[in-house]
């Protein structure tokens, strides 16, 4: 496992060297012309009891997000079919829960997962904390992946969320692993953290054995009403450094260029692809905030001579 000093040495390389190394690693393991399209669906929105300082769905912040109960299965399926038709090979369903509780709502989620799984996309869910038994039930229903971000370094995490501990996050990720699900875990750049926190965040991911199959790198979407509303985005190259360093550290993982793309130029996104990002969230909305949209993404890839990754099973 690399030490934090070794990770820092990679992260701080001169940009041409960093990008060259990242691109080499990327090409050794992936087709660098292809990007996976994933679609997000907020299946239960807002009114979350947690206090994550970045999140528009926390009940305690006045963000204008309209709380919505668990979505009806038919509506989720409609969205999933559309996503597939638009080229997505992964459907990610998020719920603004602190944790999964056994009962009616979880049973409904299991039914939704069962139906979405029949469409032949990768099926990801992100429902907050859970235990190994619940993770096994999700897997049995057809989920392939569970998303649970560590978000930042342990030190910084505990300044942006007070309602749970970093170790709670790690415990859920272990439960997901034990159940045989793939792990999707990444973080957010641009919350006011120091470069040192970003190194420690990546280091935490290297300590997971095996590392997450999928690593979303989000840029903070500052939302009015949240404590992080006024935080300025970091210089674009700091974000690109994170993508490139993640690619070098995790050659076989999906590195996902996630939230924050509406604030990025097309050139910055192109550079993220060159730095090793090979997946993105498409569609006009993330969970509650805007996203560039499918037509933008098809145009962007075409303009770069790139293409959407096709499904593995035709
Ligand atoms: N409630 C569950 C949880 O916290 O794990 C699942 C949904 S939660 C919205 C999923 C992730 O979205 C968070 O871990 C965070 O990384 C990301 N996220 C939330 N708000 C964001 C924002 N304003 N900008 C960037 N990423 C954000
Ligand atoms: C992840 O890392 N980013 C996605 C997904 N995993 C669940 C969520 C981004 C949310 C951005 C804020 C919003 O739209 O509410
Ligand atoms: Fe709730 Fe998840 Fe948002 Fe935190 S990130 S407030 S747990 S929905």
């Amino acid at each position: 496992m690399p030490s934090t000093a070794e990770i820092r040495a990679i992260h701080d390389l001169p940009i041409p060297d960093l990008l060259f190394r990242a691109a080499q690693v990327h090409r050794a393991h992936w087709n660098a012309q292809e990007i996976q399209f994933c679609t997000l669906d907020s299946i239960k929105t807002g009114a979350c009891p947690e206090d994550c300082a970045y999140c528009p769905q926390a009940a305690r912040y006045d963000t204008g997000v309209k709380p919505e109960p668990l979505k009806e299965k038919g509506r989720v399926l409609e969205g999933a079919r559309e996503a597939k038709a638009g080229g997505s090979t992964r459907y990610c369903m998020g719920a603004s829960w602190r944790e999964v509780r056994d009962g009616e709502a979880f049973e409904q989620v299991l039914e939704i997962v069962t139906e979405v799984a029949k469409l032949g996309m990768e099926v990801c869910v992100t429902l907050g904390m859970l235990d190994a038994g619940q993770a096994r039930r999700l897997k049995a229903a057809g989920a392939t992946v569970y998303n649970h971000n560590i978000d930042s370094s342990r030190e910084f995490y505990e300044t942006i969320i007070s309602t749970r501990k970093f170790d709670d996050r790690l415990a859920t990720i272990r439960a997901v692993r034990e159940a045989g699900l793939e792990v999707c875990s990444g973080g957010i750049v641009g919350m006011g953290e120091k470069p040192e926190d970003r190194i420690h965040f990546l280091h935490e991911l290297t300590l997971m054995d095996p590392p997450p199959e999928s690593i979303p790198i989000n840029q903070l979407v500052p939302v009015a009403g949240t404590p992080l509303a006024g935080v300025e985005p970091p210089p674009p190259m700091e974000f690109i450094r994170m993508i490139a360093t993640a690619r070098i550290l995790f050659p076989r993982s999906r590195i996902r260029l996630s939230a924050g793309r509406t604030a990025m130029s097309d050139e910055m996104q192109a550079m993220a692809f060159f730095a090793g990002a090979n997946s993105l969230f498409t569609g006009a909305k993330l969970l509650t905030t805007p996203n560039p949209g499918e037509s933008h993404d098809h145009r962007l890839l075409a303009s770069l001579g790139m293409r959407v990754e096709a499904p593995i099973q035709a």
Side-chain angles (χ1 to χ4, degrees):
M1 304 288 169
S3 64
T4 51
E6 285 164 337
I7 296 174
R8 188 176 312 110
I10 297 170
H11 177 272
D12 292 350
L13 280 169
I15 283 290
D17 302 332
L18 177 61
L19 292 188
F20 182 63
R21 255 185 85 177
Q24 276 180 315
V25 171
H26 189 187
R27 277 148 201 276
H29 298 276
W30 301 90
N31 182 334
Q33 295 171 11
E34 293 183 347
I35 299 289
Q36 179 195 40
F37 274 16
C38 311
T39 300
L40 275 169
D41 188 5
S42 185
I43 60 169
K44 188 268 165 189
T45 307
C48 183
E50 301 282 75
D51 70 353
C52 312
Y54 47 71
C55 189
Q57 302 200 64
R60 64 192 76 198
Y61 312 135
D62 188 9
T63 62
V65 166
K66 191 168 147 261
E68 304 268 2
L70 190 59
K71 247 192 200 177
E72 195 257 314
K73 186 169 68 186
R75 284 181 56 217
V76 180
L77 273 171
E78 214 177 283
R81 285 195 196 98
E82 266 174 40
K84 185 174 176 175
S88 282
T89 55
R90 180 163 171 133
Y91 203 63
C92 310
M93 293 167 279
S96 54
W97 286 336
R98 168 180 161 75
E99 68 216 313
V100 173
R101 298 225 178 94
D102 292 325
E104 181 56 26
F106 185 44
E107 298 304 320
Q108 280 181 44
V109 169
L110 292 169
E111 276 183 39
I112 291 171
V113 165
T114 306
E115 292 304 316
V116 173
K118 291 180 187 158
L119 300 179
M121 291 179 282
E122 295 172 13
V123 181
C124 181
V125 268
T126 181
L127 313 170
M129 295 184 273
L130 47 55
D131 62 33
Q134 292 164 332
R136 275 195 291 274
R137 293 196 66 201
L138 283 167
K139 167 124 177 123
T144 47
V145 195
Y146 197 79
N147 164 259
H148 205 64
N149 291 343
I150 61 167
D151 283 336
S152 192
S153 67
R154 173 184 291 271
E155 297 72 27
F156 192 76
Y157 188 85
E158 301 202 342
T159 70
I160 50 162
I161 297 156
S162 76
T163 48
R164 55 171 188 255
K165 296 280 172 211
F166 193 76
D167 282 329
D168 296 328
R169 293 306 265 184
L170 298 182
T172 293
I173 293 168
R174 271 196 300 276
V176 168
R177 252 310 156 226
E178 265 173 45
L181 284 162
E182 286 186 12
V183 170
C184 171
S185 187
I188 308 179
V189 175
M191 299 184 284
E193 75 286 348
K194 298 196 172 55
E196 198 59 22
D197 292 303
R198 297 185 197 140
I199 305 294
H200 282 265
F201 152 67
L202 290 171
H203 185 243
E204 283 291 342
L205 294 177
T206 66
L207 298 179
M208 297 177 190
D209 185 19
E213 283 79 4
S214 141
I215 303 179
I217 306 289
N218 298 274
Q219 177 166 291
L220 175 72
V221 180
V223 177
T226 62
L228 300 186
V231 177
E232 289 290 321
M237 291 318 291
E238 287 195 24
F239 183 85
I240 298 294
R241 278 190 186 281
M242 284 299 282
I243 298 271
T245 310
R247 169 51 66 219
I248 293 166
L249 293 173
F250 306 103
R252 294 187 167 78
S253 303
R254 288 268 180 206
I255 306 295
R256 185 163 307 110
L257 175 59
S258 303
R261 290 196 298 126
T262 54
M264 297 177 194
S265 67
D266 284 354
E267 292 76 13
M268 179 174 167
Q269 295 177 55
M271 195 166 281
F273 301 150
F274 185 68
N278 61 352
S279 177
L280 51 73
F281 288 122
T282 191
K285 209 153 79 149
L286 292 162
L287 290 173
T288 65
T289 64
N291 194 45
E294 198 181 290
S295 57
H296 168 273
D297 296 335
H298 281 289
R299 263 201 318 275
L300 173 64
L301 291 193
S303 75
L304 300 174
M306 296 173 70
R307 56 179 180 268
V308 185
E309 193 179 289
I312 295 164
Q313 73 282 42

